[in-house]
PDB file of all heavy atoms in Angstrom:
ATOM      1  N   ALA A1174      11.556  -1.326   6.329  1.00 44.00           N
ATOM      2  CA  ALA A1174      11.030  -2.632   5.926  1.00 44.00           C
ATOM      3  C   ALA A1174      12.155  -3.578   5.523  1.00 44.00           C
ATOM      4  O   ALA A1174      12.120  -4.788   5.796  1.00 44.00           O
ATOM      5  CB  ALA A1174      10.039  -2.471   4.780  1.00 44.00           C
ATOM      6  N   LYS A1175      13.174  -3.042   4.869  1.00 47.00           N
ATOM      7  CA  LYS A1175      14.298  -3.882   4.455  1.00 47.00           C
ATOM      8  C   LYS A1175      15.063  -4.386   5.678  1.00 47.00           C
ATOM      9  O   LYS A1175      15.595  -5.501   5.679  1.00 47.00           O
ATOM     10  CB  LYS A1175      15.221  -3.089   3.539  1.00 47.00           C
ATOM     11  CG  LYS A1175      14.601  -2.786   2.174  1.00 47.00           C
ATOM     12  CD  LYS A1175      15.546  -1.960   1.319  1.00 47.00           C
ATOM     13  CE  LYS A1175      14.919  -1.644  -0.042  1.00 47.00           C
ATOM     14  NZ  LYS A1175      15.810  -0.800  -0.869  1.00 47.00           N
ATOM     15  N   GLN A1176      15.143  -3.575   6.719  1.00 50.00           N
ATOM     16  CA  GLN A1176      15.899  -3.962   7.900  1.00 50.00           C
ATOM     17  C   GLN A1176      15.208  -5.085   8.676  1.00 50.00           C
ATOM     18  O   GLN A1176      15.855  -5.932   9.261  1.00 50.00           O
ATOM     19  CB  GLN A1176      16.113  -2.746   8.809  1.00 50.00           C
ATOM     20  CG  GLN A1176      16.971  -1.660   8.168  1.00 50.00           C
ATOM     21  CD  GLN A1176      17.095  -0.444   9.061  1.00 50.00           C
ATOM     22  OE1 GLN A1176      16.573  -0.424  10.167  1.00 50.00           O
ATOM     23  NE2 GLN A1176      17.808   0.576   8.570  1.00 50.00           N
ATOM     24  N   ILE A1177      13.868  -5.083   8.657  1.00 50.00           N
ATOM     25  CA  ILE A1177      13.146  -6.103   9.442  1.00 50.00           C
ATOM     26  C   ILE A1177      12.454  -7.117   8.536  1.00 50.00           C
ATOM     27  O   ILE A1177      11.594  -7.879   8.999  1.00 50.00           O
ATOM     28  CB  ILE A1177      12.121  -5.434  10.373  1.00 50.00           C
ATOM     29  CG1 ILE A1177      11.121  -4.607   9.561  1.00 50.00           C
ATOM     30  CG2 ILE A1177      12.819  -4.546  11.379  1.00 50.00           C
ATOM     31  CD1 ILE A1177      10.050  -3.949  10.443  1.00 50.00           C
ATOM     32  N   ASN A1178      12.794  -7.111   7.238  1.00 50.00           N
ATOM     33  CA  ASN A1178      12.307  -8.112   6.281  1.00 50.00           C
ATOM     34  C   ASN A1178      10.775  -8.153   6.165  1.00 50.00           C
ATOM     35  O   ASN A1178      10.141  -9.198   6.282  1.00 50.00           O
ATOM     36  CB  ASN A1178      12.819  -9.518   6.670  1.00 50.00           C
ATOM     37  CG  ASN A1178      14.343  -9.603   6.608  1.00 50.00           C
ATOM     38  OD1 ASN A1178      14.952  -8.993   5.721  1.00 50.00           O
ATOM     39  ND2 ASN A1178      14.934 -10.338   7.533  1.00 50.00           N
ATOM     40  N   ILE A1179      10.181  -6.979   5.957  1.00 51.00           N
ATOM     41  CA  ILE A1179       8.739  -6.903   5.707  1.00 51.00           C
ATOM     42  C   ILE A1179       8.501  -6.891   4.207  1.00 51.00           C
ATOM     43  O   ILE A1179       9.196  -6.188   3.462  1.00 51.00           O
ATOM     44  CB  ILE A1179       8.140  -5.637   6.351  1.00 51.00           C
ATOM     45  CG1 ILE A1179       8.300  -5.692   7.860  1.00 51.00           C
ATOM     46  CG2 ILE A1179       6.673  -5.467   5.983  1.00 51.00           C
ATOM     47  CD1 ILE A1179       7.778  -4.463   8.567  1.00 51.00           C
ATOM     48  N   THR A1180       7.533  -7.656   3.730  1.00 49.00           N
ATOM     49  CA  THR A1180       7.226  -7.708   2.301  1.00 49.00           C
ATOM     50  C   THR A1180       6.496  -6.441   1.868  1.00 49.00           C
ATOM     51  O   THR A1180       5.939  -5.705   2.678  1.00 49.00           O
ATOM     52  CB  THR A1180       6.349  -8.932   1.984  1.00 49.00           C
ATOM     53  OG1 THR A1180       5.116  -8.820   2.714  1.00 49.00           O
ATOM     54  CG2 THR A1180       7.061 -10.206   2.399  1.00 49.00           C
ATOM     55  N   ASP A1181       6.448  -6.212   0.554  1.00 48.00           N
ATOM     56  CA  ASP A1181       5.790  -5.033   0.009  1.00 48.00           C
ATOM     57  C   ASP A1181       4.298  -5.027   0.314  1.00 48.00           C
ATOM     58  O   ASP A1181       3.677  -3.970   0.458  1.00 48.00           O
ATOM     59  CB  ASP A1181       5.992  -4.960  -1.513  1.00 48.00           C
ATOM     60  CG  ASP A1181       7.450  -4.707  -1.871  1.00 48.00           C
ATOM     61  OD1 ASP A1181       8.183  -4.191  -0.995  1.00 48.00           O
ATOM     62  OD2 ASP A1181       7.850  -5.012  -3.013  1.00 48.00           O
ATOM     63  N   GLU A1182       3.691  -6.224   0.393  1.00 51.00           N
ATOM     64  CA  GLU A1182       2.248  -6.281   0.647  1.00 51.00           C
ATOM     65  C   GLU A1182       1.896  -5.806   2.061  1.00 51.00           C
ATOM     66  O   GLU A1182       0.763  -5.399   2.322  1.00 51.00           O
ATOM     67  CB  GLU A1182       1.723  -7.701   0.441  1.00 51.00           C
ATOM     68  CG  GLU A1182       1.645  -8.140  -1.020  1.00 51.00           C
ATOM     69  CD  GLU A1182       3.020  -8.439  -1.626  1.00 51.00           C
ATOM     70  OE1 GLU A1182       3.986  -8.517  -0.830  1.00 51.00           O
ATOM     71  OE2 GLU A1182       3.125  -8.569  -2.857  1.00 51.00           O
ATOM     72  N   ASP A1183       2.868  -5.882   2.987  1.00 48.00           N
ATOM     73  CA  ASP A1183       2.598  -5.483   4.365  1.00 48.00           C
ATOM     74  C   ASP A1183       2.820  -3.998   4.612  1.00 48.00           C
ATOM     75  O   ASP A1183       2.473  -3.487   5.678  1.00 48.00           O
ATOM     76  CB  ASP A1183       3.482  -6.278   5.327  1.00 48.00           C
ATOM     77  CG  ASP A1183       3.162  -7.766   5.266  1.00 48.00           C
ATOM     78  OD1 ASP A1183       1.976  -8.091   5.041  1.00 48.00           O
ATOM     79  OD2 ASP A1183       4.093  -8.581   5.436  1.00 48.00           O
ATOM     80  N   ILE A1184       3.411  -3.310   3.635  1.00 58.00           N
ATOM     81  CA  ILE A1184       3.695  -1.892   3.792  1.00 58.00           C
ATOM     82  C   ILE A1184       2.414  -1.096   3.557  1.00 58.00           C
ATOM     83  O   ILE A1184       1.696  -1.316   2.573  1.00 58.00           O
ATOM     84  CB  ILE A1184       4.790  -1.434   2.803  1.00 58.00           C
ATOM     85  CG1 ILE A1184       6.109  -2.169   3.091  1.00 58.00           C
ATOM     86  CG2 ILE A1184       4.988   0.079   2.898  1.00 58.00           C
ATOM     87  CD1 ILE A1184       7.194  -1.853   2.106  1.00 58.00           C
ATOM     88  N   ILE A1185       2.111  -0.188   4.465  1.00 65.00           N
ATOM     89  CA  ILE A1185       0.936   0.678   4.323  1.00 65.00           C
ATOM     90  C   ILE A1185       1.347   1.895   3.506  1.00 65.00           C
ATOM     91  O   ILE A1185       2.182   2.701   3.939  1.00 65.00           O
ATOM     92  CB  ILE A1185       0.389   1.108   5.691  1.00 65.00           C
ATOM     93  CG1 ILE A1185      -0.046  -0.119   6.488  1.00 65.00           C
ATOM     94  CG2 ILE A1185      -0.775   2.077   5.525  1.00 65.00           C
ATOM     95  CD1 ILE A1185      -0.545   0.209   7.884  1.00 65.00           C
ATOM     96  N   LEU A1186       0.771   2.014   2.325  1.00 72.00           N
ATOM     97  CA  LEU A1186       1.121   3.107   1.421  1.00 72.00           C
ATOM     98  C   LEU A1186       0.376   4.381   1.811  1.00 72.00           C
ATOM     99  O   LEU A1186      -0.749   4.341   2.297  1.00 72.00           O
ATOM    100  CB  LEU A1186       0.777   2.724  -0.021  1.00 72.00           C
ATOM    101  CG  LEU A1186       1.505   1.495  -0.581  1.00 72.00           C
ATOM    102  CD1 LEU A1186       1.040   1.213  -2.002  1.00 72.00           C
ATOM    103  CD2 LEU A1186       3.019   1.693  -0.558  1.00 72.00           C
ATOM    104  N   ASP A1187       1.034   5.484   1.568  1.00 78.00           N
ATOM    105  CA  ASP A1187       0.438   6.787   1.837  1.00 78.00           C
ATOM    106  C   ASP A1187       0.436   7.580   0.534  1.00 78.00           C
ATOM    107  O   ASP A1187       1.427   7.581  -0.209  1.00 78.00           O
ATOM    108  CB  ASP A1187       1.252   7.524   2.912  1.00 78.00           C
ATOM    109  CG  ASP A1187       0.496   8.725   3.450  1.00 78.00           C
ATOM    110  OD1 ASP A1187      -0.708   8.856   3.152  1.00 78.00           O
ATOM    111  OD2 ASP A1187       1.115   9.532   4.168  1.00 78.00           O
ATOM    112  N   TYR A1188      -0.673   8.288   0.256  1.00 82.00           N
ATOM    113  CA  TYR A1188      -0.849   9.005  -1.006  1.00 82.00           C
ATOM    114  C   TYR A1188      -1.055  10.492  -0.735  1.00 82.00           C
ATOM    115  O   TYR A1188      -1.395  10.886   0.390  1.00 82.00           O
ATOM    116  CB  TYR A1188      -2.050   8.443  -1.776  1.00 82.00           C
ATOM    117  CG  TYR A1188      -1.869   7.016  -2.243  1.00 82.00           C
ATOM    118  CD1 TYR A1188      -2.261   5.947  -1.453  1.00 82.00           C
ATOM    119  CD2 TYR A1188      -1.306   6.748  -3.488  1.00 82.00           C
ATOM    120  CE1 TYR A1188      -2.091   4.642  -1.882  1.00 82.00           C
ATOM    121  CE2 TYR A1188      -1.140   5.439  -3.928  1.00 82.00           C
ATOM    122  CZ  TYR A1188      -1.529   4.392  -3.119  1.00 82.00           C
ATOM    123  OH  TYR A1188      -1.362   3.093  -3.546  1.00 82.00           O
ATOM    124  N   PRO A1189      -0.840  11.329  -1.750  1.00 83.00           N
ATOM    125  CA  PRO A1189      -1.082  12.768  -1.558  1.00 83.00           C
ATOM    126  C   PRO A1189      -2.476  13.093  -1.058  1.00 83.00           C
ATOM    127  O   PRO A1189      -2.658  14.021  -0.276  1.00 83.00           O
ATOM    128  CB  PRO A1189      -0.833  13.346  -2.955  1.00 83.00           C
ATOM    129  CG  PRO A1189       0.120  12.386  -3.596  1.00 83.00           C
ATOM    130  CD  PRO A1189      -0.250  11.036  -3.068  1.00 83.00           C
ATOM    131  N   MET A1190      -3.483  12.365  -1.525  1.00 84.00           N
ATOM    132  CA  MET A1190      -4.833  12.499  -0.983  1.00 84.00           C
ATOM    133  C   MET A1190      -5.241  11.162  -0.351  1.00 84.00           C
ATOM    134  O   MET A1190      -4.807  10.106  -0.826  1.00 84.00           O
ATOM    135  CB  MET A1190      -5.822  12.894  -2.091  1.00 84.00           C
ATOM    136  CG  MET A1190      -6.006  11.850  -3.170  1.00 84.00           C
ATOM    137  SD  MET A1190      -7.252  12.297  -4.417  1.00 84.00           S
ATOM    138  CE  MET A1190      -6.345  13.502  -5.369  1.00 84.00           C
ATOM    139  N   PRO A1191      -5.999  11.151   0.725  1.00 84.00           N
ATOM    140  CA  PRO A1191      -6.406   9.890   1.361  1.00 84.00           C
ATOM    141  C   PRO A1191      -7.181   9.014   0.373  1.00 84.00           C
ATOM    142  O   PRO A1191      -8.326   9.307   0.028  1.00 84.00           O
ATOM    143  CB  PRO A1191      -7.305  10.357   2.514  1.00 84.00           C
ATOM    144  CG  PRO A1191      -6.888  11.755   2.784  1.00 84.00           C
ATOM    145  CD  PRO A1191      -6.502  12.322   1.455  1.00 84.00           C
ATOM    146  N   SER A1192      -6.555   7.939  -0.091  1.00 84.00           N
ATOM    147  CA  SER A1192      -7.192   7.120  -1.134  1.00 84.00           C
ATOM    148  C   SER A1192      -6.700   5.679  -1.128  1.00 84.00           C
ATOM    149  O   SER A1192      -6.959   4.939  -2.076  1.00 84.00           O
ATOM    150  CB  SER A1192      -6.930   7.745  -2.514  1.00 84.00           C
ATOM    151  OG  SER A1192      -5.537   7.906  -2.727  1.00 84.00           O
ATOM    152  N   ARG A1193      -5.993   5.242  -0.075  1.00 85.00           N
ATOM    153  CA  ARG A1193      -5.389   3.913  -0.080  1.00 85.00           C
ATOM    154  C   ARG A1193      -6.444   2.814  -0.202  1.00 85.00           C
ATOM    155  O   ARG A1193      -6.350   1.951  -1.088  1.00 85.00           O
ATOM    156  CB  ARG A1193      -4.571   3.713   1.212  1.00 85.00           C
ATOM    157  CG  ARG A1193      -3.946   2.326   1.334  1.00 85.00           C
ATOM    158  CD  ARG A1193      -3.087   2.257   2.575  1.00 85.00           C
ATOM    159  NE  ARG A1193      -3.864   2.573   3.770  1.00 85.00           N
ATOM    160  CZ  ARG A1193      -4.593   1.679   4.440  1.00 85.00           C
ATOM    161  NH1 ARG A1193      -4.654   0.413   4.024  1.00 85.00           N
ATOM    162  NH2 ARG A1193      -5.264   2.031   5.520  1.00 85.00           N
ATOM    163  N   CYS A1194      -7.444   2.833   0.643  1.00 86.00           N
ATOM    164  CA  CYS A1194      -8.467   1.778   0.614  1.00 86.00           C
ATOM    165  C   CYS A1194      -9.288   1.838  -0.672  1.00 86.00           C
ATOM    166  O   CYS A1194      -9.662   0.805  -1.232  1.00 86.00           O
ATOM    167  CB  CYS A1194      -9.387   1.895   1.820  1.00 86.00           C
ATOM    168  SG  CYS A1194      -8.557   1.536   3.387  1.00 86.00           S
ATOM    169  N   ALA A1195      -9.567   3.056  -1.134  1.00 86.00           N
ATOM    170  CA  ALA A1195     -10.340   3.206  -2.360  1.00 86.00           C
ATOM    171  C   ALA A1195      -9.587   2.638  -3.554  1.00 86.00           C
ATOM    172  O   ALA A1195     -10.172   1.964  -4.416  1.00 86.00           O
ATOM    173  CB  ALA A1195     -10.679   4.675  -2.590  1.00 86.00           C
ATOM    174  N   LEU A1196      -8.281   2.882  -3.612  1.00 86.00           N
ATOM    175  CA  LEU A1196      -7.490   2.358  -4.728  1.00 86.00           C
ATOM    176  C   LEU A1196      -7.372   0.844  -4.643  1.00 86.00           C
ATOM    177  O   LEU A1196      -7.382   0.154  -5.674  1.00 86.00           O
ATOM    178  CB  LEU A1196      -6.108   3.014  -4.718  1.00 86.00           C
ATOM    179  CG  LEU A1196      -6.083   4.517  -5.028  1.00 86.00           C
ATOM    180  CD1 LEU A1196      -4.672   5.061  -4.895  1.00 86.00           C
ATOM    181  CD2 LEU A1196      -6.629   4.788  -6.427  1.00 86.00           C
ATOM    182  N   GLU A1197      -7.255   0.305  -3.430  1.00 86.00           N
ATOM    183  CA  GLU A1197      -7.230  -1.147  -3.289  1.00 86.00           C
ATOM    184  C   GLU A1197      -8.572  -1.756  -3.688  1.00 86.00           C
ATOM    185  O   GLU A1197      -8.622  -2.823  -4.303  1.00 86.00           O
ATOM    186  CB  GLU A1197      -6.883  -1.525  -1.850  1.00 86.00           C
ATOM    187  CG  GLU A1197      -5.444  -1.208  -1.461  1.00 86.00           C
ATOM    188  CD  GLU A1197      -5.152  -1.558  -0.018  1.00 86.00           C
ATOM    189  OE1 GLU A1197      -6.100  -1.989   0.690  1.00 86.00           O
ATOM    190  OE2 GLU A1197      -3.985  -1.387   0.413  1.00 86.00           O
ATOM    191  N   TYR A1198      -9.642  -1.084  -3.358  1.00 85.00           N
ATOM    192  CA  TYR A1198     -10.974  -1.570  -3.742  1.00 85.00           C
ATOM    193  C   TYR A1198     -11.143  -1.556  -5.261  1.00 85.00           C
ATOM    194  O   TYR A1198     -11.796  -2.434  -5.834  1.00 85.00           O
ATOM    195  CB  TYR A1198     -12.035  -0.692  -3.078  1.00 85.00           C
ATOM    196  CG  TYR A1198     -13.444  -1.051  -3.461  1.00 85.00           C
ATOM    197  CD1 TYR A1198     -14.087  -2.136  -2.869  1.00 85.00           C
ATOM    198  CD2 TYR A1198     -14.140  -0.301  -4.407  1.00 85.00           C
ATOM    199  CE1 TYR A1198     -15.385  -2.474  -3.220  1.00 85.00           C
ATOM    200  CE2 TYR A1198     -15.433  -0.615  -4.759  1.00 85.00           C
ATOM    201  CZ  TYR A1198     -16.057  -1.710  -4.166  1.00 85.00           C
ATOM    202  OH  TYR A1198     -17.353  -2.036  -4.518  1.00 85.00           O
ATOM    203  N   LEU A1199     -10.511  -0.568  -5.915  1.00 86.00           N
ATOM    204  CA  LEU A1199     -10.568  -0.476  -7.378  1.00 86.00           C
ATOM    205  C   LEU A1199      -9.490  -1.316  -8.044  1.00 86.00           C
ATOM    206  O   LEU A1199      -9.343  -1.263  -9.271  1.00 86.00           O
ATOM    207  CB  LEU A1199     -10.418   0.993  -7.808  1.00 86.00           C
ATOM    208  CG  LEU A1199     -11.528   1.940  -7.334  1.00 86.00           C
ATOM    209  CD1 LEU A1199     -11.193   3.374  -7.698  1.00 86.00           C
ATOM    210  CD2 LEU A1199     -12.872   1.547  -7.926  1.00 86.00           C
ATOM    211  N   HIS A1200      -8.705  -2.076  -7.246  1.00 86.00           N
ATOM    212  CA  HIS A1200      -7.677  -3.007  -7.746  1.00 86.00           C
ATOM    213  C   HIS A1200      -6.578  -2.283  -8.529  1.00 86.00           C
ATOM    214  O   HIS A1200      -6.126  -2.756  -9.578  1.00 86.00           O
ATOM    215  CB  HIS A1200      -8.310  -4.095  -8.626  1.00 86.00           C
ATOM    216  CG  HIS A1200      -9.388  -4.875  -7.933  1.00 86.00           C
ATOM    217  ND1 HIS A1200      -9.132  -5.756  -6.907  1.00 86.00           N
ATOM    218  CD2 HIS A1200     -10.740  -4.884  -8.125  1.00 86.00           C
ATOM    219  CE1 HIS A1200     -10.276  -6.293  -6.485  1.00 86.00           C
ATOM    220  NE2 HIS A1200     -11.262  -5.774  -7.201  1.00 86.00           N
ATOM    221  N   VAL A1201      -6.163  -1.139  -8.008  1.00 86.00           N
ATOM    222  CA  VAL A1201      -5.030  -0.437  -8.606  1.00 86.00           C
ATOM    223  C   VAL A1201      -3.754  -1.099  -8.116  1.00 86.00           C
ATOM    224  O   VAL A1201      -3.545  -1.251  -6.906  1.00 86.00           O
ATOM    225  CB  VAL A1201      -5.039   1.052  -8.222  1.00 86.00           C
ATOM    226  CG1 VAL A1201      -3.796   1.754  -8.775  1.00 86.00           C
ATOM    227  CG2 VAL A1201      -6.307   1.720  -8.731  1.00 86.00           C
ATOM    228  N   PRO A1202      -2.855  -1.545  -8.998  1.00 86.00           N
ATOM    229  CA  PRO A1202      -1.647  -2.276  -8.570  1.00 86.00           C
ATOM    230  C   PRO A1202      -0.756  -1.420  -7.663  1.00 86.00           C
ATOM    231  O   PRO A1202      -0.579  -0.228  -7.896  1.00 86.00           O
ATOM    232  CB  PRO A1202      -0.944  -2.589  -9.894  1.00 86.00           C
ATOM    233  CG  PRO A1202      -2.007  -2.511 -10.931  1.00 86.00           C
ATOM    234  CD  PRO A1202      -2.963  -1.454 -10.455  1.00 86.00           C
ATOM    235  N   ARG A1203      -0.206  -2.050  -6.645  1.00 82.00           N
ATOM    236  CA  ARG A1203       0.717  -1.351  -5.753  1.00 82.00           C
ATOM    237  C   ARG A1203       1.998  -0.965  -6.467  1.00 82.00           C
ATOM    238  O   ARG A1203       2.679  -0.024  -6.054  1.00 82.00           O
ATOM    239  CB  ARG A1203       1.039  -2.236  -4.547  1.00 82.00           C
ATOM    240  CG  ARG A1203      -0.186  -2.535  -3.664  1.00 82.00           C
ATOM    241  CD  ARG A1203       0.150  -3.619  -2.641  1.00 82.00           C
ATOM    242  NE  ARG A1203       1.152  -3.182  -1.688  1.00 82.00           N
ATOM    243  CZ  ARG A1203       0.875  -2.617  -0.522  1.00 82.00           C
ATOM    244  NH1 ARG A1203      -0.385  -2.404  -0.167  1.00 82.00           N
ATOM    245  NH2 ARG A1203       1.838  -2.278   0.310  1.00 82.00           N
TER     246      ARG A1203
END
């Protein structure tokens, strides 16, 4: 991301358990 200048909001986070959309729905800060 640093090499191609992508912002943190565009990075798709990966978690130990599948929960990315659920955490975003619950407004957990990135």
Side-chain angles (χ1 to χ4, degrees):
K1175 291 178 181 178
Q1176 296 177 2
I1177 59 178
N1178 297 323
I1179 297 178
T1180 61
D1181 293 338
E1182 287 74 12
D1183 296 327
I1184 297 176
I1185 299 177
L1186 299 178
D1187 193 11
Y1188 294 90
M1190 65 177 76
S1192 56
R1193 177 176 58 85
C1194 293
L1196 293 176
E1197 291 178 357
Y1198 177 79
L1199 297 174
H1200 303 290
V1201 176
R1203 296 170 65 92

